[in-house]
Amino acid sequence: MGKSSVLLIYTGGTIGMKTDPATGALVPFDFNGIYDEFPSLRRLDVDLDILPFEPIDSSNVEPKLWIKLATIIQEKYNDYDGFVVLHGTDTMSYSSSALSFMLQNLGKAVVFTGSQIPIGVLRTDGRENLITAIEIAAAKEDGRSVVPEVSLYFQNRLFRANRTQKFSAEELSAFASFNYPALADVGVGIHYRYGVIAKPEGVFSVDTSVSNEVAIVKVFPGLTEPLLRTMLSAEGLRGVILETYGAGNAPTFGWFIRTLEEAIRRGVHIINITQCASGSVNMDIYETGRRLQDIGVISGRDMTTEAALTKMMCMLGRAYTHEEFVGVMKRPVRGEMTEE
Ligand code: ASP
C-alpha cells in the first residue's frame, strides 16, 4: 500500500508565528516556508500538501471561514486520505464544531490543531501537535480512516471536536472534553479508543448553510427584565442559547418566564445549556427547570455552548419547518450530545 496523503490547511493562530528578530514581537511567518522552520516535517511518511490561507487570529473568525474550509474539504475529498486544519486556539472549538455539522457522513479524518506557543519558539508545543495530528489524519486500517470524524488534537489527546472547550489560557493542555471520552491517548504510541470513535455511514456530503441570527444569553444573579427583554427583542433574532445554572435551572420570577415565553411565541428558539463545564441539563429535576420546559425551552442536554451555538447556526440555515428544527436540536446528529 502507498503512503497516505494529507492536506494541511493553515488558517492562522499562534502556531504559525515566530519572533521577529528586529522587534522581538511575535509575527506570522509565511507558512509556505514551514519546512525551513520545521525541517524534520519532511521525515514524515506521508504525502503532505500545504494550503496556507491569509493568516488570521482566530478571534476574527467568522462563519465564512467555516464555509471556505468545508468547501475545500468537499472539493479535495477524493484527493486525500485525511485533512489537518491549523487554527488559532481561541475559537478552535467553535470552528471545529461548525465543521462537524457541515460535513455529513464523513469517511475521512479532519483533525484540527494549533498551539499555545508558536512553532518558531524553542519550547513550542506546536511541533508535537502538528506531527501527531498529521499522523492521525493519515492513519488507515484495512484501507479506511481510523478516525472518520471532525476531531481536535491537543497535548496528547484526541477529542471529538464538537465535545471540546478551550478551558485554559495558560496550560499547554488547553482543551478538554468533559462529557465524552478522548478518542485517542498519545504517549509512546497512539492508542485509539475504537469503541467511542464514530463509524462512517452513508455518502459524504456537505451543507454549508449557516445563519448568524443567534445570541448567547447567560443568566446571572441580577439580570434585569429590561436587559433580557432588549436582548430577546433584537431584530432578526431566531435562536438563543440560554446559559443556565447547574442542571438547567433559571429564575422563576414572573417577568423572566414571561419574557422567554413571549420570545418563543414570536418564533425564537431557545436552547437550554448549563453554565457548568461538565454534566447535563435536566429540566425535570427542579421547579426552576420545569417552568422552562413548560414554556417550550428546548433541552440542550450535555452539549457544550460551542456545539449548541454552531449546531443552531447550521440548522437554522437549512430549510427546516419549526417542528423539524426542534426535532433535530433535541437529538444528536454528530455525537455532540449523549443519547437519552
Ligand atoms: N489568539 C490566538 C488565536 O486564537 C491564540 C492561539 O492561537 O493560541 O488565534
Side-chain angles (χ1 to χ4, degrees):
M1 242 192 329
K3 283 185 187 178
S4 287
S5 57
V6 169
L7 180 65
L8 175 64
I9 306 173
Y10 167 67
T11 70
T14 296
I15 193 162
M17 295 192 165
K18 68 175 183 182
T19 313
D20 181 339
T23 63
L26 284 176
V27 287
F29 61 82
D30 176 1
F31 212 81
N32 284 309
I34 180 68
Y35 290 110
D36 299 331
E37 293 303 323
F38 190 8
S40 43
L41 197 56
R42 291 189 200 282
R43 305 221 309 265
L44 266 178
D45 192 25
V46 171
D47 280 326
L48 190 67
D49 284 338
I50 299 174
L51 178 58
F53 292 177
E54 191 56 45
I56 58 169
D57 187 293
S58 78
S59 305
N60 289 324
V61 162
E62 292 177 290
K64 66 181 182 210
L65 179 82
W66 308 338
I67 296 172
K68 185 171 170 184
L69 285 169
T71 307
I72 288 170
I73 292 169
Q74 180 174 35
E75 285 167 3
K76 309 273 183 192
Y77 193 72
N78 293 325
D79 301 341
Y80 295 93
D81 294 303
F83 299 84
V84 171
V85 179
L86 297 183
H87 193 288
T89 58
D90 289 344
T91 61
M92 198 191 305
S93 290
Y94 289 93
S95 291
S96 55
S97 294
L99 262 285
S100 79
F101 298 114
M102 289 182 171
L103 308 178
Q104 309 177 96
N105 300 325
L106 197 55
K108 298 186 178 184
V110 175
V111 188
F112 276 70
T113 195
S115 69
Q116 292 278 67
I117 305 175
I119 217 161
V121 170
L122 206 53
R123 213 165 51 75
T124 186
D125 52 329
R127 292 174 190 227
E128 196 283 323
N129 285 349
L130 175 56
I131 291 287
T132 307
I134 296 170
E135 285 192 7
I136 291 168
K140 289 193 289 186
E141 280 173 16
D142 301 326
R144 291 170 181 214
S145 172
V146 176
V147 189
E149 55 175 301
V150 181
S151 59
L152 187 155
Y153 179 71
F154 223 84
Q155 197 70 20
N156 303 331
R157 279 178 306 166
L158 181 73
F159 300 115
R160 174 167 295 163
N162 60 31
R163 292 294 196 144
T164 62
Q165 290 184 301
K166 182 176 180 183
F167 81 98
S168 176
E170 169 68 24
E171 289 174 34
L172 296 185
S173 172
F175 288 85
S177 164
F178 292 105
N179 286 332
Y180 197 73
L183 306 181
D185 294 302
V186 176
V188 174
I190 301 178
H191 304 287
Y192 294 103
R193 296 193 191 165
Y194 295 94
V196 297
I197 297 174
K199 309 275 175 293
E201 41 185 282
V203 178
F204 173 67
S205 65
V206 175
D207 189 332
T208 57
S209 317
V210 62
S211 160
N212 63 357
E213 295 151 318
V214 294
I216 299 175
V217 174
K218 186 167 183 160
V219 174
F220 62 93
L223 174 64
T224 62
E225 180 174 2
L227 179 60
L228 184 65
R229 197 166 281 287
T230 305
M231 290 192 284
L232 295 186
S233 345
E235 211 184 316
L237 185 67
R238 296 173 64 206
V240 170
I241 302 300
L242 184 70
E243 282 199 352
T244 57
Y245 307 126
N249 303 308
T252 47
F253 309 136
W255 62 263
F256 182 83
I257 299 294
R258 233 179 2 259
T259 311
L260 294 184
E261 201 173 7
E262 283 166 18
I264 292 170
R265 284 223 197 95
R266 289 197 305 274
V268 177
H269 297 284
I270 303 185
I271 316 290
N272 188 352
I273 296 292
T274 176
Q275 293 177 17
C276 296
S278 78
S280 179
V281 163
N282 182 345
M283 294 196 284
D284 281 331
I285 305 180
Y286 298 100
E287 175 60 18
T288 43
R290 284 195 182 177
R291 296 295 295 275
L292 298 178
Q293 188 159 267
D294 292 345
I295 60 169
V297 171
I298 301 166
S299 173
R301 306 226 293 273
D302 62 351
M303 270 192 290
T304 60
T305 293
E306 291 85 337
L309 181 83
T310 54
K311 180 178 181 182
M312 188 157 75
M313 292 172 79
C314 292
M315 301 307 149
L316 281 176
R318 300 182 191 177
Y320 287 134
T321 62
H322 179 90
E323 285 67 33
E324 285 168 342
F325 177 84
V326 172
V328 89
M329 288 307 295
K330 279 186 173 170
R331 65 168 192 271
V333 296
R334 299 286 188 281
E336 73 283 3
M337 61 163 65
T338 303
E339 297 270 1
E340 232 168 351

